Amino acid sequence: FEAVSEAFPMIVAANLTKNTYTMIKDDGFLANDMPSSGKYDDLIDVGVENIHPNYQRAFLDNFSRERLLQMLGQGRKEVCVKLYQKGRGDRYQWVSTHVIRVRDKDGDVTSALINFWTNAAVVENSRESAVLRTEFIPCRSRNRCLFCCGNGKRKIRRWTGQS
């Protein structure tokens, strides 16, 4: 996992139908410790504590089990959101989370959640910038993310993996 964690510091396999997950993660990726497996709902309940308050609603709206079951059940293949998340030392970092629908032979709704840092810069907990007032909407396709800015105007930008 050490080599993979350079690019993807947290990978989760989730069975949303059965409300279970298994996770591997880099120790410094999240501010709090989380079990490597358990109930998916518990993962989200603990995970939201790592998200900056301005992004907690977007996190829950996109990654709650009920919402993912709805979106993936309607044929959506991927959900991606860029969020401001607290890592070790209570330092915030930009993180992109991609949920990808995975076919299950039993018909369950299963997914892979892949997380990665979107830039090398880490911002101090006490520093906030105007960009924190921006809400991010899930991407519409693999290469495009829809951003809803604080002024209410929407911008579509090609996702390059860079912030």
Side-chain angles (χ1 to χ4, degrees):
F1 177 70
E2 212 170 298
V4 173
S5 70
E6 292 281 326
F8 306 109
M10 188 169 102
I11 301 171
V12 178
N15 183 320
L16 300 169
T17 303
K18 294 179 179 168
N19 192 21
T20 60
Y21 77 92
T22 302
M23 169 181 63
I24 55 174
K25 71 175 181 63
D26 179 88
D27 288 336
F29 186 67
L30 299 171
N32 56 6
D33 290 324
M34 300 169 82
S36 61
S37 64
K39 288 186 176 181
Y40 181 84
D41 288 338
D42 295 343
L43 176 72
I44 297 304
D45 290 344
V46 174
V48 74
E49 296 170 7
N50 292 302
I51 304 300
H52 188 279
N54 291 359
Y55 296 95
Q56 288 179 349
R57 175 59 28 214
F59 177 84
L60 293 171
D61 287 348
N62 287 287
F63 301 124
S64 72
R65 188 168 68 94
E66 295 79 20
R67 184 72 174 127
L68 282 176
L69 281 168
Q70 178 188 16
M71 289 188 288
L72 300 176
Q74 293 173 346
R76 191 136 176 210
K77 294 180 181 175
E78 181 177 8
V79 176
C80 68
V81 178
K82 184 178 173 184
L83 299 164
Y84 207 44
Q85 175 180 293
K86 194 185 304 181
R88 287 275 186 240
D90 291 335
R91 296 169 62 100
Y92 283 99
Q93 57 207 354
W94 285 108
V95 173
S96 182
T97 300
H98 294 252
V99 178
I100 302 164
R101 170 87 191 246
V102 178
R103 295 278 178 224
D104 181 78
K105 62 180 169 62
D106 298 326
D108 290 349
V109 178
T110 58
S111 62
L113 290 81
I114 301 168
N115 298 270
F116 57 91
W117 290 290
T118 59
N119 65 10
V122 178
V123 180
E124 294 289 339
N125 185 15
S126 60
R127 291 176 46 207
E128 292 186 26
S129 65
V131 76
L132 291 179
R133 291 191 295 269
T134 303
E135 292 181 29
F136 292 87
I137 307 299
C139 67
R140 302 249 184 249
S141 71
R142 179 175 298 264
N143 294 321
R144 292 182 178 263
C145 285
L146 179 65
F147 296 88
C148 181
C149 301
N151 62 10
K153 294 182 181 178
R154 292 181 179 202
K155 297 178 185 177
I156 295 179
R157 175 172 100 177
R158 182 173 273 305
W159 176 249
T160 62
Q162 306 283 322
S163 58

